[in-house]
């Protein structure tokens, strides 16, 4: 069986690569568990200086695997998806993302918690939570209005409108937009390996200082959104929308 999350080590860099090309790298409970554990281990391993999250040059991730989601929906904050969210939030090492192609749902919201994000200009990002009868997650309801303003955040979260990698860079969601997925990955890898040359404790303390003012508030919002999200999963609206989505596949 092909490994759905590939772990690759290069000097001090740990790369976490989504690897379900036949499913557009859609994420399952098992994948969230593996991601959460890898982030936890990376955080405590002194030999790791940075973490890179990526997919392929054609697709980052289509978000949650809806069939897996319906069969085993997260019921509380002890579910694998929330373990992943909190381990990414708490990771003391720099986390870099390289994005190409589709980045849907959590494929976009996880970027809000990375330190550096490199995208292809034609990447397609979208958070269609409302369209699926759900609500925002991963503190996106807090971070996006702050970052983009209320009006633009409403377009993305209330209407579920998509946007490009070029727009993501212009709006501050991404660090830089590159000409292709391969270029985005190469730039992300180059920048991630730079942390091998920097004093690790100075990097860790600097990230801690940057994140500290909002850390507890973001954790609180993740928990509040998570409680509402799990409620919404059992709602008639969400069940109808999710079932309809599967039938269209």
């Amino acid at each position: 069986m092909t490994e759905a999350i590939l772990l690759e080590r290069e000097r001090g860099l740990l790369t976490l690569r989504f690897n379900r090309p036949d499913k557009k790298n859609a994420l399952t409970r098992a994948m969230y568990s593996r991601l959460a554990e890898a982030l936890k281990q990376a955080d405590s391993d002194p030999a790791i200086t940075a973490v890179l999250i990526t997919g392929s040059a054609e697709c980052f991730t289509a978000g949650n695997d809806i069939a897996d989601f319906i069969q085993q929906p997260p019921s509380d904050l002890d579910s694998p998806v929330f373990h992943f969210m909190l381990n990414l939030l708490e990771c003391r090492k720099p986390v870099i993302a390289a994005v190409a192609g589709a980045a849907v749902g959590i494929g976009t919201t996880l970027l809000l918690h990375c330190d550096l994000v490199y995208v292809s200009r034609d990447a397609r990002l979208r958070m269609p939570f409302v369209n699926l009868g759900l609500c925002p997650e991963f503190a996106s309801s807090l971070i996006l209005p702050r970052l983009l303003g209320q009006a633009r955040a409403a377009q993305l979260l209330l209407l579920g409108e998509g946007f490009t990698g070029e727009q993501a860079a212009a709006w501050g969601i991404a660090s830089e937009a590159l000409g292709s997925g391969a270029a985005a990955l190469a730039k992300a890898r180059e920048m991630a390996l730079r942390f091998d040359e920097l004093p690790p404790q100075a990097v860790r303390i600097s990230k801690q200082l940057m994140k500290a003012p909002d850390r507890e508030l973001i954790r609180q919002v993740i928990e509040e959104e998570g409680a509402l999200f799990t409620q919404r999963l059992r709602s008639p609206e969400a069940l109808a929308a999710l079932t309809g989505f599967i039938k269209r596949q």
Side-chain angles (χ1 to χ4, degrees):
M1 182 177 177
T2 302
E3 195 69 56
I5 299 290
L6 299 179
L7 274 58
E8 304 162 7
R9 290 285 295 266
E10 180 182 3
R11 294 170 21 208
L13 174 61
L14 174 65
T15 297
L16 308 180
R17 188 184 303 275
F18 307 137
N19 186 44
R20 288 184 80 203
D22 57 320
K23 298 292 185 180
K24 299 181 181 178
N25 293 334
L27 300 168
T28 64
R29 284 171 55 91
M31 292 168 73
Y32 282 125
S33 292
R34 185 161 170 80
L35 289 166
E37 184 59 28
L39 285 167
K40 185 177 181 180
Q41 291 180 359
D43 196 47
S44 61
D45 186 343
I48 293 177
T49 55
V51 177
L52 172 62
I53 301 175
T54 190
S56 68
E58 295 75 37
C59 181
F60 186 57
T61 172
N64 286 306
D65 183 307
I66 300 298
D68 181 80
F69 216 51
I70 289 179
Q71 290 171 7
Q72 303 181 80
S75 57
D76 54 41
L77 297 176
D78 196 37
S79 299
V81 62
F82 295 115
H83 289 175
F84 165 66
M85 289 183 185
L86 294 177
N87 281 330
L88 179 54
L89 176 66
E90 299 294 342
C91 187
R92 294 171 295 177
K93 308 290 176 70
V95 180
I96 300 91
V99 179
V104 181
I106 198 167
T108 292
T109 59
L110 75 84
L111 304 178
L112 304 175
H113 302 276
C114 294
D115 301 292
L116 299 168
V117 177
Y118 298 94
V119 298
S120 63
R121 292 193 185 97
D122 62 354
R124 302 178 305 282
L125 300 89
R126 191 178 176 215
M127 295 167 285
F129 303 117
V130 168
N131 310 67
L132 295 173
L134 302 171
C135 66
E137 36 89 305
F138 219 162
S140 56
S141 65
L142 170 70
I143 296 171
L144 285 172
R146 283 182 167 188
L147 183 63
L148 307 179
Q150 192 70 29
R152 183 165 285 155
Q155 288 180 264
L156 304 186
L157 291 175
L158 299 186
L159 295 175
E161 290 187 358
F163 55 105
T164 65
E166 195 163 18
Q167 288 173 308
W171 297 343
I173 294 173
S175 308
E176 186 178 349
L178 288 300
S180 67
L185 177 57
K187 183 62 179 282
R189 176 181 165 278
E190 173 193 345
M191 301 304 285
L193 286 170
R194 284 180 59 180
F195 289 106
D196 242 11
E197 304 163 6
L198 295 169
Q201 289 303 313
V203 171
R204 183 183 66 78
I205 291 169
S206 297
K207 175 170 176 172
Q208 177 185 332
L209 290 169
M210 291 172 66
K211 298 286 188 178
D214 289 329
R215 186 183 304 277
E216 288 309 311
L217 176 58
I218 288 174
R219 175 186 278 272
Q220 178 186 334
V221 173
I222 288 173
E223 292 178 356
E224 291 172 351
E225 289 173 340
L228 291 169
F229 194 97
T230 55
Q231 288 177 24
R232 292 299 308 162
L233 275 172
R234 297 187 293 272
S235 70
E237 283 183 344
L239 290 172
L242 293 168
T243 302
F245 178 88
I246 291 175
K247 288 179 179 177
R248 292 193 297 272
Q249 299 309 296

